[in-house]
Amino acid sequence: MKMKIISGISVALFVAGHCLAQTPRTFKTWIPAYDTVSALEGRGWTTGLNNYYDRLPAKAEKTVRTPVWNLSKNSAGMNLRFRSDADEIVVKYVVGGAKEMPHMPATGVSGVDLYAKSIDGQWLWCAGKYDFKDTIVYRFAGLKKYDQHVKNIDYTLYLPLYNSVKWLSVSVPEESLLQPLPVRKEAPVVIYGTSIAQGACATRPGLAWTSILGRKLESPVINLAFSGNGRLEPEVQEFVGQLDARLFVLDCLPNLAGAEYAGAELKRRITNAVTFLQQGHPGTPILLTEHDGYTGGDMNLSSKAAYKQANATLREVYDSLQKAGVKNISLLTEAEIGQDIESMVDGTHPNDIGMMHYADAYAKKIREILHAENGNTVTTTAVTQRRDYNTYDWETRHEAVMAYNKTHQPKVVFMGNSITNFWGGEPVAKVRNGSLSWEKYFTPKQAVNLGFGWDRVENVLWRVQHGELDGISPAYIVLMIGTNNLQANTDEEIATGLVFLLKNIQARQAAAKVILMGILPRKEMESRVVRINQLIAKRTAGKNIQFLDAGKLFLKADGKIDVSLFSDGLHPNQEGYERLGALINKYLKVQ
């Protein structure tokens, strides 16, 4: 696919009413709406739209109420992903409505918000200067051009929460990289809700709780919240149900906490919404959310009574559905969200503190539902990485693994870092140092290679939690990970991370036998590797887990590595892989 770039535009920037004293630079410009690369994430439909940044397809205009249709033109929850090494990024766009509201600033209603991601998977916020005129301009200057040895940065640009984007462009200096990142193929979390979920009253689009949630879960999120009009209506549910979701969130109670919907009517709407989604998506989890409508506590008794009654009705329906045997439904309670007098703008809509309360509560609950909890250490916190600089792209390989597993049923799964990645097999890696032994021992056993260069324990944890072991039924999982943690973590942290990772693996593949390989010897780290392998063997003992230390295969009599078996003191060469393959093969009793 080709990206549409307009080159050779000289740009003189005026920001906040002041001319910037600098020599005009020549920029190249990306217009996402004209591109063949679909980089707009958070949009449920890619065809049948009136406008590129609409949240509902054009045919919805004939079936949903007019207020819902008008609000669907707001770009809430949408974001653009791209990669660049630019020290300056300029975003220009035009919106179709009022730029601010009495209780919400222009930066939230109509602004954009830029986040970067480090090669270790940490989110970073980018401060920009902005000018809200007929054409809104955001300028992000003085940006890092690279992160250690990776010569570019991944960015996410969040779009306005309460306005419609008519057109938008992203510009970087002519000499810089500007590469759109295709929409991730992972099924999204789909949220149907009210003004609170749409984003009122965050000060920036990236601080809407749905945006924070997406960063916390490292998962696409589709925001189908319609301010004042999240009412569990069948006409809207019809479109919600068209989406292939990882999980559905129904957070409409703030618009249903009134006399018009009290009692039987609210029960009917909740029950029908759950039934409809489950009929179309059997097995997909549904999360129902109470209204944390803090309105001044006991100082606003009528409002408090209304939302408390709505919550009581939701709990009654939830309990009755569970008693009737309905599966895959969960409840997020008011107490779990935990709003207070400091977290609201107007007694109903959260400020940035309240948005974080929502995001934290949702992330915790959804992780529980998806069995993707994090621990309390670095090695037990699932995270992406992009440390490799010339052999592969981490996200692309993850999607290649997911695609491979959809069309194959491997009997043996190898998971690990570059030592595994460079071995051989499918999906094919750019570097293959041990293909002869792989083809000899593992190809006949229908093995798949889930090795990713530079991976640490926490990166494999992310991949496990994001589907790389789903939909397959291997007899064996060979796990060899931890060497890249040696310079970043203590022995105890590494062992703790492996215990946590094994728990996540076995939660998804309880019948598989896990062969846990000890960390291979490393040049000038031989004695530490021996000690940590002893700790790992002790800490990871359990059902269907076989610890296997291949260290002696690679050590000389003096305890130092045999360099003749390595290409660089870390990665085995063809002979090293032959020895390792022969050892592992003895334990694979595959028919």
Side-chain angles (χ1 to χ4, degrees):
M1 295 185 291
K2 294 183 177 180
M3 177 181 76
K4 186 177 182 67
I5 293 290
I6 303 172
S7 301
I9 301 176
S10 294
V11 180
L13 295 174
F14 292 81
V15 178
H18 300 284
C19 179
L20 296 172
Q22 66 178 43
T23 302
R25 303 178 73 176
T26 301
F27 283 67
K28 59 185 178 185
T29 296
W30 170 45
I31 303 177
Y34 295 163
D35 204 345
T36 58
V37 177
S38 178
L40 181 61
E41 199 158 87
R43 184 180 62 175
W45 293 265
T46 57
T47 60
L49 299 166
N50 280 344
N51 181 56
Y52 186 75
Y53 298 101
D54 285 352
R55 290 188 291 153
L56 289 178
K59 61 184 179 181
E61 184 176 11
K62 297 180 180 179
T63 59
V64 303
R65 290 183 299 106
T66 299
V68 173
W69 172 246
N70 291 337
L71 287 161
S72 75
K73 295 181 176 298
N74 296 164
S75 54
M78 294 185 187
N79 58 84
L80 292 161
R81 301 172 64 240
F82 60 92
R83 183 170 293 168
S84 182
D85 59 359
D87 64 347
E88 186 175 0
I89 297 173
V90 180
V91 182
K92 293 184 177 183
Y93 59 103
V94 170
V95 295
K99 294 184 176 66
E100 60 185 343
M101 297 189 293
H103 63 327
M104 187 173 176
T107 50
V109 174
S110 306
V112 295
D113 208 1
L114 187 65
Y115 281 71
K117 203 175 191 186
S118 77
I119 59 173
D120 294 317
Q122 302 304 313
W123 287 100
L124 307 167
W125 179 67
C126 304
K129 295 184 177 180
Y130 43 83
D131 183 17
F132 280 80
K133 293 185 178 177
D134 289 343
T135 296
I136 301 175
V137 178
Y138 269 73
R139 175 177 176 266
F140 304 91
L143 299 171
K144 288 176 63 175
K145 299 188 69 172
Y146 61 90
D147 195 350
Q148 296 180 27
H149 51 271
V150 179
K151 300 302 181 183
N152 48 64
I153 305 288
D154 282 0
Y155 290 97
T156 297
L157 180 71
Y158 294 96
L159 302 187
L161 296 169
Y162 264 82
N163 224 322
S164 56
V165 176
K166 298 303 183 183
W167 65 264
L168 179 145
S169 67
V170 179
S171 300
V172 299
E174 180 70 40
E175 69 276 8
S176 302
L177 170 74
L178 180 53
Q179 176 189 346
L181 296 176
V183 171
R184 290 172 289 181
K185 296 179 181 178
E186 180 179 335
V189 173
V190 176
I191 298 164
Y192 177 25
T194 70
S195 56
I196 297 171
Q198 183 169 337
C201 291
T203 58
R204 298 187 274 110
L207 292 178
W209 71 256
T210 57
S211 300
I212 301 171
L213 180 67
R215 294 195 298 275
K216 284 180 174 290
L217 297 180
E218 296 282 6
S219 177
V221 172
I222 292 178
N223 186 327
L224 292 180
F226 307 104
S227 184
N229 293 276
R231 303 177 185 176
L232 296 179
E233 297 167 303
E235 298 83 1
V236 180
Q237 287 280 10
E238 180 68 33
F239 289 97
V240 174
Q242 291 178 12
L243 301 177
D244 181 18
R246 188 182 188 192
L247 176 142
F248 289 105
V249 174
L250 299 180
D251 189 354
C252 291
L253 234 55
N255 289 162
L256 295 170
E260 180 182 356
Y261 307 102
E265 176 61 18
L266 182 54
K267 291 180 182 179
R268 183 185 67 82
R269 292 194 179 212
I270 297 169
T271 302
N272 288 351
V274 171
T275 301
F276 174 77
L277 288 177
Q278 289 202 328
Q279 287 176 344
H281 301 269
T284 300
I286 298 172
L287 176 57
L288 303 170
T289 306
E290 289 187 2
H291 179 17
D292 193 356
Y294 192 90
T295 54
D298 293 333
M299 299 304 294
N300 300 90
L301 297 181
S302 60
S303 297
K304 180 179 180 180
Y307 87 77
K308 288 289 187 182
Q309 181 57 53
N311 285 346
T313 300
L314 176 61
R315 286 192 293 272
E316 182 181 346
V317 174
Y318 174 72
D319 290 342
S320 66
L321 289 172
Q322 283 199 313
K323 289 177 181 177
V326 177
K327 305 295 184 182
N328 297 313
I329 57 171
S330 300
L331 180 68
L332 181 64
T333 67
E334 173 191 2
E336 289 172 307
I337 298 169
Q339 303 293 14
D340 56 43
I341 62 172
E342 311 297 347
S343 62
M344 293 288 177
V345 171
D346 54 7
T348 298
H349 298 98
N351 56 25
D352 293 341
I353 298 172
M355 287 293 180
M356 189 60 73
H357 287 174
Y358 269 109
D360 286 341
Y362 268 109
K364 184 176 186 296
K365 179 66 69 172
I366 291 174
R367 286 187 177 281
E368 291 172 358
I369 294 169
L370 300 178
H371 305 291
E373 296 93 336
N374 279 332
N376 298 318
T377 65
V378 171
T379 54
T380 58
T381 301
V383 68
T384 62
Q385 64 97 347
R386 201 168 70 87
R387 286 181 281 268
D388 205 294
Y389 60 96
N390 63 4
T391 58
Y392 82 116
D393 180 81
W394 196 87
E395 185 175 304
T396 301
R397 182 163 176 81
H398 169 65
E399 293 195 346
V401 165
M402 298 292 286
Y404 183 89
N405 285 347
K406 284 184 177 180
T407 57
H408 297 76
Q409 276 294 329
K411 295 181 179 180
V412 181
V413 172
F414 282 77
M415 301 197 80
N417 49 48
S418 56
I419 296 173
T420 301
N421 182 219
F422 291 174
W423 201 335
E426 297 282 347
V428 175
K430 183 177 180 180
V431 177
R432 285 173 286 176
N433 294 334
S435 55
L436 293 179
S437 64
W438 184 280
E439 292 169 5
K440 176 181 178 181
Y441 295 117
F442 307 133
T443 297
K445 291 181 168 58
Q446 296 176 234
V448 62
N449 186 331
L450 273 58
F452 286 54
W454 286 93
D455 254 17
R456 296 173 181 163
V457 173
E458 58 268 27
N459 307 130
V460 178
L461 177 63
W462 187 98
R463 297 196 280 117
V464 169
Q465 292 185 354
H466 286 256
E468 289 192 10
L469 293 180
D470 296 348
I472 58 176
S473 302
Y476 291 90
I477 297 171
V478 182
L479 177 63
M480 184 163 53
I481 193 67
T483 192
N484 290 324
N485 291 89
L486 290 172
Q487 294 177 322
N489 304 104
T490 66
D491 294 0
E492 177 62 29
E493 286 173 335
I494 296 171
T496 298
L498 284 169
V499 171
F500 195 81
L501 173 58
L502 288 168
K503 178 182 177 181
N504 273 261
I505 289 173
Q506 292 192 313
R508 291 158 176 79
Q509 294 291 342
K513 296 179 180 179
V514 179
I515 297 178
L516 175 62
M517 303 298 299
I519 297 174
L520 293 187
R522 289 188 68 152
K523 190 175 182 179
E524 299 180 355
M525 300 183 74
E526 293 92 341
S527 59
R528 183 188 175 191
V529 169
V530 170
R531 291 195 304 272
I532 194 172
N533 279 340
Q534 292 171 346
L535 177 63
I536 291 170
K538 180 179 179 180
R539 292 284 303 279
T540 58
K543 182 180 179 182
N544 278 350
I545 298 174
Q546 168 76 53
F547 180 79
L548 186 58
D549 188 354
K552 292 182 179 180
L553 299 178
F554 296 90
L555 295 173
K556 297 186 296 184
D558 61 1
K560 300 296 182 181
I561 70 167
D562 185 344
V563 295
S564 69
L565 299 175
F566 293 85
S567 61
D568 55 7
L570 172 63
H571 300 94
N573 55 23
Q574 196 74 253
E575 175 58 27
Y577 278 121
E578 167 61 31
R579 293 190 181 192
L580 188 59
L583 175 65
I584 295 172
N585 186 57
K586 293 178 182 179
Y587 293 84
L588 300 179
K589 309 301 181 182
V590 176
Q591 299 297 323

